[in-house]
C-alpha cells in the first residue's frame, strides 16, 4: 500500500461503548472490539476510527478527556489497547484515534490546577475572563445551548466552554498547551496508531478579543439552523479564526515525521466552500476535512448531483476528499431516508471519488433508538439528541443482540430481529450483503478507488448517472431516485444491480429506486443517452 493508503481505503467508525461488551458490564470495550476485527475484515473494511477511549468522566461519553494518555477502565487498559492495535495491524487494518483538541474534561489535572487560583501556573492553559457574575463576557453560546461561559465561584472569573460546562476550552494561544497536546499526538503515534479523527477541528481557535457574534438576520439560511439557540447566531467569531491553520500545520509537521502515511481527518462543520477547503492548507494541514455534503443533501438526483459536483469543482488536483452519511452525532441513515434509499446511500458512498466513511451498524440498516440514553442536548432539542444512533451493535437477533452478557448501557434499537449481522450475513438480498459486495467491487476496480469523476447528462431528472475512469478502466453508476421505472441506454455490463434492472437490446429499464453499476470499459466513451422513457 502507498503512503496515501487512505485514498484506496474504506473507513469504519466504531463507537466503542456500543460495539461489543466483552467484560459483561454493559459497556462495549477494547477486548470486545478486538473480538470483532475478523468481522470487519470479512466486511472489507480497511481502517477503523475509534471514538474516544481515553480516561473520562463520560459526561460527553469520552469527548471529555481527563487523561489523554490512558485508557478509561470502562474500555480496558493500555495492555488491552496494545493488544487490540496489534491484532488490527496483523489483519491489515489501520487504526485512527479520536483527538479532542478543543477542550478537556474539568476533571483533567490541567483544569483542576487551572481553576485552583488565578495565579496558578496552569491558569492560562484555559480561557478565563474577568467580569460580573451575572454578565458572561460575550454572547457566545455553547453548541449544547446556554452560554459558552461558566462562572467559577472560587476564583471569581468566567471560563469558556464551547460544549458542556464540564468541557472547558483549552487556550491554544498558550505555547505550553500547544506543546503538551503535540506530546499527546506523539504519544499515540509512537504507540503505533495510523492517524486521527480530529474532533471539532475548526473550533480550536476563536477571536482572541472574544467579540460578540452577530445574530442571524431574517431570511438568513443558517447551516446550524436545526441547532436551537446555537443556530440563532452567525458564528463569525467563535470558530474558524485564521490562527487555526497554524495549529493544523504544526500537527501535520509532526505526523509527517513518522513517514508511514499518518492520516488526519478533521471534523469541520464549515459550509462555506472556501473556508472548508482552507483546512487542507496547501497540502500541509489536515489530510482531509470531513465532507458532510452528502449527509445534509436532500435525497433527489439533482440535490445529490449538486452536492457531489460542488465538492468535485472545489478540490484542487492534489486534494482528496471523503464521503460520509452517518456518525455518532447524526440520525441513522435508515431512519433518515428509509430502507430503499439506504441502499442508494451505500452505493453512493462506495462509488463516488473519495474515501468512504461508514458508521457501525449502518451496514445492517440499524435504526435510531428511542433516545432513552443520556445526552447533553437532553429534551431541550429533542430531534438533535444523539444517543439514539448509539444503540448496541446488532450482531444477532437474541435478546441482547449478541452485544454482551448483561443489560447494555442504552436500550437496544428497533427491529433487531431483521437488522442484525447473523440474519443478513448469508442473505443475498440483504443490505449487509450489498455493502460487502460493494466493498469487494471497489477493491477490485481501480476506477472506483482512484478514477476521475464525471457526471453524465441524464435523460431523466430523477436519475443520476456518473462515470469513474482511470487507466483504461471505466465504471458507470446509474441511480434512479424516482418512483417510476425509466429507460436508459445500456452503458456497460452490470457489475451489480439493486432493485429492478432489465436489459432489452441496447436499452435497460431501471426500476423505481433501483441502481446499476456497469463495467463500461469495453464501451469506450459514454454513449448518448436515450431521452425516451
Ligand atoms: C464533536 C463530537 O463528534 C461530539 O460527539 C462531541 O460531543 C463534541 N465534538 C465535543 O467533543
Amino acid at each position: 500500500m502507498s503512503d496515501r493508503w487512505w485514498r484506496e481505503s474504506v473507513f469504519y467508525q466504531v463507537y466503542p461503548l456500543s460495539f461489543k461488551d466483552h467484560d459483561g458490564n454493559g459497556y462495549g470495550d477494547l477486548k470486545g472490539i478486538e473480538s470483532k476485527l475478523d468481522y470487519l475484515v470479512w466486511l472489507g473494511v480497511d481502517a477503523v476510527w475509534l471514538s474516544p477511549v481515553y480516561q473520562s468522566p463520560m459526561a460527553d461519553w469520552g469527548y471529555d478527556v481527563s487523561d489523554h494518555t490512558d485508557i478509561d477502565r470502562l474500555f480496558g487498559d493500555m495492555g488491552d489497547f496494545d493488544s487490540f492495535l496489534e491484532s488490527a495491524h496483523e489483519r491489515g487494518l489501520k487504526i485512527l484515534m479520536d483527538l479532542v483538541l478543543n477542550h478537556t474534561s474539568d476533571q483533567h489535572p490541567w483544569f483542576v490546577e487551572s481553576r485552583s487560583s488565578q495565579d496558578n501556573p496552569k491558569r492560562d492553559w484555559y480561557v478565563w475572563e474577568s467580569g460580573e457574575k451575572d454578565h458572561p463576557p460575550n454572547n457566545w453560546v455553547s453548541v449544547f445551548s446556554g452560554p459558552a461561559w461558566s462562572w467559577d465561584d472560587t476564583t471569581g472569573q468566567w471560563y469558556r466552554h464551547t460544549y458542556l460546562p464540564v468541557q472547558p476550552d483549552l487556550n491554544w494561544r498558550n505555547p505550553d498547551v500547544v506543546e503538551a497536546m503535540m506530546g499527546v499526538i506523539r504519544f499515540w503515534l509512537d504507540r503505533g496508531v495510523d492517524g486521527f479523527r480530529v474532533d471539532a477541528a475548526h473550533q480550536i481557535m476563536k477571536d482572541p478579543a472574544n467579540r460578540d457574534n452577530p445574530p442571524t438576520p431574517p431570511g438568513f439560511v443558517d447551516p446550524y439552523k436545526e441547532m436551537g439557540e446555537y443556530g440563532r447566531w452567525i458564528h463569525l467569531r467563535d470558530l474558524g479564526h485564521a490562527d487555526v491553520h497554524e495549529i493544523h500545520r504544526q500537527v501535520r509537521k509532526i505526523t509527517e515525521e513518522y513517514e508511514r502515511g499518518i492520516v488526519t481527518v478533521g471534523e469541520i462543520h464549515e459550509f462555506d466552500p472556501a473556508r472548508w477547503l482552507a483546512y487542507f492548507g496547501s497540502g500541509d494541514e489536515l489530510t482531509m476535512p470531513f465532507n458532510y455534503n452528502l449527509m445534509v443533501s436532500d435525497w433527489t438526483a439533482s440535490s445529490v448531483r449538486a452536492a457531489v459536483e460542488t465538492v468535485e469543482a472545489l478540490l484542487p488536483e492534489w486534494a482528496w476528499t471523503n464521503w460520509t452519511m452517518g456518525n455518532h452525532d447524526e440520525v441513522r441513515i435508515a431512519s433518515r431516508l428509509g430502507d430503499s434509499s439506504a441502499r442508494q446511500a451505500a452505493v453512493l458512498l462506495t462509488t463516488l471519488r473519495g474515501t468512504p466513511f461508514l458508521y457501525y451498524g449502518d451496514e445492517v440498516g440499524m435504526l435510531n433508538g428511542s433516545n432513552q440514553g443520556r445526552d447533553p442536548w437532553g429534551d431541550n432539542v429533542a430531534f438533535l439528541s444523539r444517543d439514539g444512533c448509539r444503540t448496541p451493535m446488532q450482531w444477532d437477533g437474541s435478546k441482547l443482540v449478541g452485544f454482551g452478557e448483561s443489560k447494555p448501557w442504552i436500550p437496544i434499537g428497533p427491529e433487531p430481529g431483521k437488522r442484525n449481522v447473523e440474519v443478513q450475513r448469508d442473505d443475498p438480498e440483504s443490505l449487509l450483503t450489498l455493502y460487502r459486495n460493494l466493498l469487494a467491487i471497489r477493491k477490485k476496480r481501480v476506477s472506483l478507488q482512484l478514477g476521475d469523476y464525471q457526471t453524465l447528462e441524464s435523460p431523466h431528472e430523477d436519475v443520476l448517472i456518473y462515470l469513474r475512469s482511470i487507466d483504461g478502466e471505466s465504471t458507470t453508476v446509474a441511480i434512479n431516485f424516482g418512483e417510476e421505472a425509466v429507460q436508459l441506454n445500456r452503458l456497460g455490463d452490470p457489475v451489480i444491480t439493486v432493485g429492478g434492472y432489465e436489459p432489452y437490446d441496447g436499452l435497460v429499464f431501471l426500476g423505481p429506486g433501483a441502481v446499476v453499476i456497469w463495467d463500461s470499459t469495453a464501451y469506450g466513451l459514454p454513449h448518448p443517452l436515450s431521452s425516451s422513457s
Side-chain angles (χ1 to χ4, degrees):
M1 251 191 188
S2 74
D3 60 353
R4 295 202 288 166
W5 56 271
W6 29 270
R7 297 187 314 168
E8 289 110 292
S9 299
V10 173
F11 285 65
Y12 183 101
Q13 181 189 357
V14 165
Y15 196 64
L17 283 170
S18 305
F19 203 57
K20 175 75 186 168
D21 176 17
H22 178 269
D23 63 11
N25 66 357
Y27 294 89
D29 46 43
L30 285 165
K31 280 205 167 89
I33 305 170
E34 186 175 350
S35 72
K36 291 297 184 183
L37 291 175
D38 286 333
Y39 164 75
L40 297 178
V41 172
W42 172 85
L43 183 59
V45 161
D46 307 290
V48 174
W49 149 29
L50 216 54
S51 281
V53 288
Y54 316 109
Q55 253 184 43
S56 162
M58 301 288 159
D60 189 11
W61 294 131
Y63 285 94
D64 48 326
V65 180
S66 54
D67 184 344
H68 297 94
T69 55
D70 202 0
I71 299 294
D72 196 276
R73 293 298 164 263
L74 270 187
F75 301 117
D77 58 23
M78 213 36 121
D80 294 337
F81 180 82
D82 289 340
S83 160
F84 156 77
L85 186 63
E86 197 183 326
S87 299
H89 283 167
E90 275 167 14
R91 289 163 174 78
L93 291 168
K94 308 272 191 189
I95 299 298
L96 264 63
M97 301 295 278
D98 212 311
L99 186 63
V100 188
L101 300 180
N102 178 69
H103 48 271
T104 67
S105 159
D106 67 343
Q107 305 298 306
H108 196 295
W110 297 342
F111 190 70
V112 173
E113 270 198 56
S114 182
R115 85 184 314 176
S116 66
S117 73
Q118 285 204 23
D119 55 9
N120 184 277
K122 293 244 168 17
R123 185 65 167 184
D124 196 35
W125 281 45
Y126 293 83
V127 183
W128 292 93
E129 281 292 328
S130 297
E132 289 166 33
K133 193 172 175 175
D134 298 330
H135 292 98
N138 65 18
N139 68 0
W140 297 357
V141 292
S142 141
V143 176
F144 296 148
S145 88
W149 298 90
S150 284
W151 178 259
D152 179 57
D153 264 333
T154 319
T155 55
Q157 278 190 319
W158 294 92
Y159 68 89
R160 201 182 68 201
H161 49 85
T162 305
Y163 292 90
L164 295 172
V166 294
Q167 291 169 297
D169 282 1
L170 280 165
N171 176 12
W172 277 87
R173 292 206 162 77
N174 180 340
D176 293 341
V177 168
V178 178
E179 196 186 317
M181 290 306 288
M182 297 300 155
V184 168
I185 294 172
R186 285 184 196 283
F187 176 89
W188 290 104
L189 292 177
D190 288 342
R191 244 183 155 87
V193 307
D194 305 290
F196 301 96
R197 176 267 188 182
V198 187
D199 185 73
H202 57 320
Q203 286 174 315
I204 55 185
M205 280 294 192
K206 307 176 175 80
D207 179 25
N210 285 326
R211 283 170 296 172
D212 280 353
N213 278 323
T216 52
F220 179 80
V221 182
D222 193 311
Y224 304 100
K225 64 182 182 304
E226 290 183 348
M227 296 185 63
E229 200 181 347
Y230 193 76
R232 291 208 282 275
W233 303 94
I234 297 184
H235 294 279
L236 192 62
R237 312 227 198 263
D238 62 350
L239 55 82
H241 187 276
D243 293 352
V244 73
H245 298 289
E246 177 52 26
I247 301 297
H248 290 307
R249 278 193 287 274
Q250 293 197 35
V251 173
R252 182 67 172 252
K253 269 201 197 109
I254 292 179
T255 60
E256 287 191 347
E257 284 170 21
Y258 285 77
E259 294 184 348
R260 55 173 198 265
I262 302 299
V263 67
T264 53
V265 191
E267 185 199 20
I268 304 287
H269 292 282
E270 181 58 84
F271 294 92
D272 173 79
R275 286 172 65 97
W276 176 77
L277 193 64
Y279 287 89
F280 286 92
S282 48
D284 57 354
E285 295 191 27
L286 291 165
T287 316
M288 309 183 256
F290 258 118
N291 164 13
Y292 296 122
N293 286 280
L294 207 53
M295 191 143 79
V296 298
S297 168
D298 288 340
W299 210 247
T300 62
S302 58
S303 297
V304 169
R305 175 179 177 166
V308 174
E309 288 182 348
T310 304
V311 177
E312 282 291 333
L314 211 54
L315 289 176
E317 200 260 320
W318 51 265
W320 187 258
T321 193
N322 52 73
W323 294 99
T324 184
M325 292 205 53
N327 63 42
H328 65 292
D329 294 329
E330 303 292 332
V331 175
R332 287 223 176 245
I333 302 175
S335 294
R336 235 166 45 219
L337 300 177
D339 287 332
S340 164
S341 304
R343 287 173 180 257
Q344 299 174 333
V347 171
L348 278 160
L349 283 170
T350 53
T351 59
L352 287 172
R353 188 171 76 110
T355 301
F357 273 75
L358 312 179
Y359 181 53
Y360 87 94
D362 278 346
E363 73 273 27
V364 292
M366 276 174 59
L367 297 170
N368 255 54
S370 53
N371 197 38
Q372 294 166 46
R374 176 159 58 88
D375 193 284
W377 273 303
D379 295 330
N380 298 336
V381 192
F383 54 88
L384 257 189
S385 287
R386 303 168 300 166
D387 279 355
C389 66
R390 301 166 177 178
T391 60
M393 174 67 181
Q394 290 163 193
W395 296 106
D396 60 40
S398 66
K399 191 161 163 254
L400 297 176
V401 295
F403 171 68
E405 298 299 316
S406 48
K407 195 172 160 220
W409 68 277
I410 183 171
I412 286 156
E415 303 177 9
K418 62 177 192 178
R419 299 173 192 273
N420 75 64
V421 173
E422 191 183 47
V423 78
Q424 293 191 21
R425 233 186 134 106
D426 299 317
D427 174 358
E429 300 302 320
S430 72
L431 182 61
L432 181 59
T433 301
L434 175 64
Y435 264 103
R436 186 163 181 252
N437 288 342
L438 287 166
L439 265 44
I441 289 166
R442 185 176 172 98
K443 205 149 277 170
K444 269 196 229 124
R445 299 190 69 75
V446 64
S447 54
L448 286 181
Q449 290 180 353
L450 298 174
D452 293 339
Y453 171 92
Q454 188 190 340
T455 309
L456 301 184
E457 276 321 313
S458 167
H460 306 279
E461 60 175 354
D462 285 337
V463 181
L464 175 66
I465 309 176
Y466 52 92
L467 174 71
R468 303 284 317 282
S469 50
I470 192 169
D471 297 340
E473 183 191 284
S474 302
T475 307
T476 308
V477 181
I479 305 176
N480 183 0
F481 288 84
E483 289 172 6
E484 307 284 328
V486 296
Q487 178 184 299
L488 302 172
N489 275 0
R490 181 174 162 166
L491 297 177
D493 302 318
V495 178
I496 201 168
T497 61
V498 182
Y501 175 85
E502 267 180 62
Y504 182 76
D505 293 336
L507 301 174
V508 301
F509 292 100
L510 196 60
V515 178
V516 56
I517 301 178
W518 280 303
D519 177 354
S520 307
T521 309
Y523 282 60
L525 286 175
H527 295 200
L529 298 170
S530 160
S531 57
S532 55
S533 61

